[in-house]
């Protein structure tokens, strides 16, 4: 494709994002990108677009030789993989926002892109409108990227903001997030932290070149949080955020986890409210950098999709540079983190796997402990998946990181 070539698009999905990109393209004639056909699932739904554009037969798009770009914006990850792989095999460039599908099939999708020498772009899959993937791909190529930590799920951040600031009940806040188009069709993906894990999997590929099975990343969402946790946070001046973390801890090891986290007011993540996302990039030379923007919703997500479509005019493709550097990183869970664990008064949790317990609190209603534990021991603790136990990490306090470093040092010396 040359820069002046017109893009003829086959669009899959006409929901929150699909309809958004349809409208945005109508208002962006300079792009010379035109939607020829739209494949949807339910033909009976009323659509705000000419009826002749719609089909329920995916082959009307996949086998139309005039279509040179496929934009995949459906909420079914399995069907999306069939559509995207079929398109790539036919050397048709693809833009997608489907983080679940991409995280699950990253290795196969990379092979398909290479074998067929074709672009597959998915900026909207991580951080909505924020250009994270292209940044990790291009900008941090020669820099040593030490860490990535951020709020990458708009609906959970929206829910946490509404609970903390307006005292809204969890279910009402979730309903609002769904009504505003921030939540996944299956909101469990958001609130259980799986969507953030899927995004972190994609980040790990572009930041460090590692292919990780999303299911192996230690994670917890926001469903187990207890109202008393918010009280503790308020007393200490923290906000609770769902934070996805990746960190290079040695020349060949990386840690990655997603946990609700106490964020203090010195962190840029502290003030990220509602559906906004924000990521902190720790770089060896540039220190800390912060990217911020809307992480969900029709037009913010469409903006990233539009940017990918525009990039196809000059045949942009991810080179997966970090995958081919020769450096190999492995994911390790042998890493200490500081956590707050709260549980009902009647329960007693086994604390034997904590390296250190700093604080213990008991009351007639809720108990908590604050301590330092290895990620592997946390994940294997018999209480970690107990719905009456909440686990919140202290992820951003510099003094805690220093304390953990000191402890790690002492453990090595023992
Ligand atoms: N919403 C956001 O803020 C956001 C942000 C970032 C990424 N994303 C991602 O963007 C994608 C779309 O999300 P959305 O919020 O726009 O979803 P949505 O509002 O639920 O819309 C889904 C669309 O997919 C269509 N569809 C489902 N299965 C299909 C199939 N097998 N073949 C053809 N069409 C099919 C549906 O058709 P009908 O209309 O006929 O039911 C509907 O138009 C998802 O991968 C999501 O994770 C969303």
């Amino acid at each position: 494709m040359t820069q002046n070539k017109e893009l003829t698009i086959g669009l899959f999905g006409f929901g929150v994002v699909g309809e958004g990109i349809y409208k945005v393209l109508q208002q962006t004639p300079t792009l010379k990108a035109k939607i020829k056909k739209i494949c949807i699932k339910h033909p009976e739904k009323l659509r705000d677009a000419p009826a002749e554009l719609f089909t329920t037969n995916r082959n009307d798009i996949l086998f139309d030789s005039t279509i040179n770009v496929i934009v995949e914006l459906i909420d079914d990850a399995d069907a999306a993989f069939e559509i995207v792989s079929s398109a790539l095999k036919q050397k048709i460039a693809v833009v997608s926002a489907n983080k679940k599908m991409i995280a699950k099939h990253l290795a196969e999708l990379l092979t398909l892109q290479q074998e067929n020498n074709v672009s597959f772009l998915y900026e909207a899959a991580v951080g909505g409108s924020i250009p994270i993937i292209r940044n990790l791909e291009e900008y941090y190529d020669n820099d040593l990227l030490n860490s990535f930590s951020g709020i990458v799920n708009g609906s959970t951040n929206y829910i946490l903001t509404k609970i903390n600031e307006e005292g809204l009940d969890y279910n009402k806040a979730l309903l609002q997030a769904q009504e505003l188009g921030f939540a996944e069709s299956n909101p469990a993906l958001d609130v259980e932290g799986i969507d953030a894990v899927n995004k972190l999997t994609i980040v790990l590929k572009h930041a460090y070149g590692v292919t990780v099975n999303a299911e192996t990343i230690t994670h917890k969402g926001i469903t187990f949080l207890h109202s008393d946790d918010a009280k503790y946070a308020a007393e200490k001046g923290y906000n609770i955020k769902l934070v996805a973390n990746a960190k290079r801890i040695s020349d060949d090891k990386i840690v990655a986890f997603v946990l609700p986290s106490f964020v203090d007011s010195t962190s840029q993540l502290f003030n990220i409210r509602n559906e906004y996302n924000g990521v902190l990039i720790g770089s060896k030379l540039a220190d800390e950098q912060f990217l911020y923007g809307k992480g969900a919703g029709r037009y913010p997500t469409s903006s990233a999709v539009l940017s990918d479509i525009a990039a196809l005019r000059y045949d942009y493709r991810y080179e997966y540079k970090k995958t081919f550097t020769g450096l190999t990183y492995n994911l390790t869970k042998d890493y200490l983190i500081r956590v707050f664990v709260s549980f009902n008064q009647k329960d007693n949790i086994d604390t034997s796997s904590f390296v250190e317990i700093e604080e213990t609190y008991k009351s007639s209603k809720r108990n908590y402990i604050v301590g330092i534990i290895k990620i592997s021991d946390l994940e294997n603790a018999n209480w970690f998946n107990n719905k009456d136990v909440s686990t919140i990490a202290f992820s951003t306090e510099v003094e805690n990181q220093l304390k953990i470093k000191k402890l790690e040092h002492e453990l090595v010396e023992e």
Side-chain angles (χ1 to χ4, degrees):
M1 253 179 266
T2 67
Q3 215 156 342
N4 293 323
K5 187 165 180 178
E6 286 194 14
L7 304 179
T8 306
I9 297 172
L11 174 64
F12 283 85
F14 199 72
V16 174
V17 190
E19 187 171 348
I21 196 67
Y22 169 76
K23 289 186 170 156
V24 166
L25 281 174
Q26 281 188 315
Q27 291 156 19
T28 322
T30 46
L31 194 58
K32 290 192 183 166
K34 198 166 155 268
I35 292 179
K36 184 169 181 197
K37 212 61 189 166
I38 305 170
C39 182
I40 39 81
K41 193 170 184 182
H42 300 101
E44 69 283 2
K45 277 191 196 169
L46 277 178
R47 315 277 174 178
D48 190 11
E52 61 273 16
L53 275 179
F54 292 94
T55 177
T56 51
N57 182 355
R58 66 172 74 155
N59 292 341
D60 287 350
I61 290 179
L62 290 172
F63 296 103
D64 179 336
S65 59
T66 64
I67 287 177
N68 54 11
V69 175
I70 281 177
V71 177
E72 180 282 302
L73 299 169
I74 70 171
D75 60 340
D76 174 338
D78 295 333
F81 181 62
E82 289 166 16
I83 291 161
V84 170
S85 44
S86 166
L88 295 176
K89 280 177 195 159
Q90 295 180 70
K91 304 188 192 305
I92 307 173
V94 179
V95 172
S96 170
N98 204 316
K99 50 261 174 164
K100 186 177 172 197
M101 181 270 292
I102 297 163
K104 188 171 172 194
H105 297 286
L106 205 43
E108 289 154 278
L109 290 166
L110 174 53
T111 306
L112 279 173
Q113 289 169 70
Q114 287 182 313
E115 280 176 1
N116 296 290
N117 198 18
V118 65
S119 301
F120 175 48
L121 305 180
Y122 41 85
E123 189 60 71
V126 181
S129 67
I130 314 173
I132 293 175
I133 299 174
R134 246 189 275 176
N135 240 309
L136 293 174
E137 262 304 299
E138 305 298 336
Y139 188 80
Y140 295 95
D141 189 25
N142 297 315
D143 195 358
L144 289 175
L145 205 143
N146 286 340
S147 63
F148 173 101
S149 76
I151 296 168
V152 291
N153 181 273
S155 14
T156 45
N157 202 52
Y158 181 87
I159 294 167
L160 290 172
T161 308
K162 291 289 158 189
I163 293 174
N164 290 336
E165 292 183 8
E166 294 172 27
L168 221 67
D169 143 72
Y170 169 84
N171 288 319
K172 271 198 191 134
L174 170 60
L175 193 66
Q176 276 191 9
Q178 286 176 300
E179 283 168 359
L180 289 164
F182 305 149
E184 288 297 308
S185 308
N186 171 10
L189 289 177
D190 293 312
V191 295
E192 290 173 9
I194 298 160
D195 180 74
V197 163
N198 286 335
K199 289 165 175 167
L200 190 56
T201 306
I202 299 171
V203 163
L204 286 167
K205 188 72 182 159
H206 292 278
Y208 298 110
V210 275
T211 310
V212 175
N213 177 349
E215 286 169 16
T216 63
I217 294 180
T218 306
H219 70 277
K220 211 162 191 191
I222 63 166
T223 45
F224 296 174
L225 292 176
H226 189 275
S227 53
D228 282 8
D229 302 338
K231 281 188 203 149
Y232 176 91
E235 273 166 27
K236 304 275 180 185
Y238 299 134
N239 272 337
I240 301 176
K241 301 285 181 191
L242 185 65
V243 181
N245 298 279
K247 198 173 167 65
R248 195 173 62 93
I249 57 163
S250 73
D251 287 345
D252 61 355
K253 288 199 175 59
I254 289 198
V255 285
F257 58 95
V258 172
L259 287 174
S261 304
F262 289 130
V263 176
D264 75 12
S265 60
T266 63
S267 167
Q268 298 282 359
L269 304 185
F270 184 84
N271 285 318
I272 296 180
R273 299 171 62 250
N274 296 324
E275 78 275 25
Y276 279 81
N277 283 188
V279 302
L280 292 165
I281 292 174
S283 124
K284 189 173 177 194
L285 304 177
D287 199 1
E288 188 177 82
Q289 292 171 319
F290 178 53
L291 300 174
Y292 170 76
K294 285 196 174 175
R298 168 164 288 173
Y299 292 110
T301 311
S302 297
S303 121
V305 175
L306 184 73
S307 177
D308 281 350
I309 295 172
L312 290 177
R313 283 179 310 172
Y314 51 90
D315 270 340
Y316 176 74
R317 67 186 55 156
Y318 305 136
E319 289 177 52
Y320 297 90
K321 296 186 184 81
K322 322 288 167 54
T323 303
F324 304 109
T325 52
L327 293 172
T328 318
Y329 291 108
N330 292 308
L331 198 67
T332 178
K333 297 189 180 191
D334 188 7
Y335 184 72
L336 294 173
I337 56 171
R338 184 170 181 245
V339 292
F340 163 100
V341 182
S342 81
F343 46 99
N344 288 335
Q345 189 269 335
K346 62 177 172 49
D347 300 328
N348 240 336
I349 66 162
D350 175 13
T351 56
S352 58
S353 46
F354 276 83
V355 171
E356 183 181 308
I357 302 223
E358 296 174 5
E359 207 181 328
T360 307
Y361 172 85
K362 286 186 190 270
S363 81
S364 56
K365 283 196 205 134
R366 193 88 176 154
N367 301 337
Y368 70 77
I369 54 173
V370 173
I372 291 173
I373 189 167
K374 235 184 231 179
I375 294 178
S376 53
D377 291 333
L378 173 69
E379 190 179 68
N380 293 327
N382 57 8
W383 41 263
F384 185 60
N385 289 316
N386 178 339
K387 66 177 175 42
D388 293 323
V389 179
S390 56
T391 307
I392 306 177
F394 294 80
S395 66
T396 53
E397 287 171 280
V398 174
E399 69 266 33
N400 291 324
Q401 295 307 324
L402 291 175
K403 185 167 185 183
I404 287 171
K405 272 211 176 100
K406 193 167 155 263
L407 252 171
E408 273 170 345
H409 187 67
E410 283 166 11
L411 285 174
V412 169
E413 293 206 327
E414 264 173 26

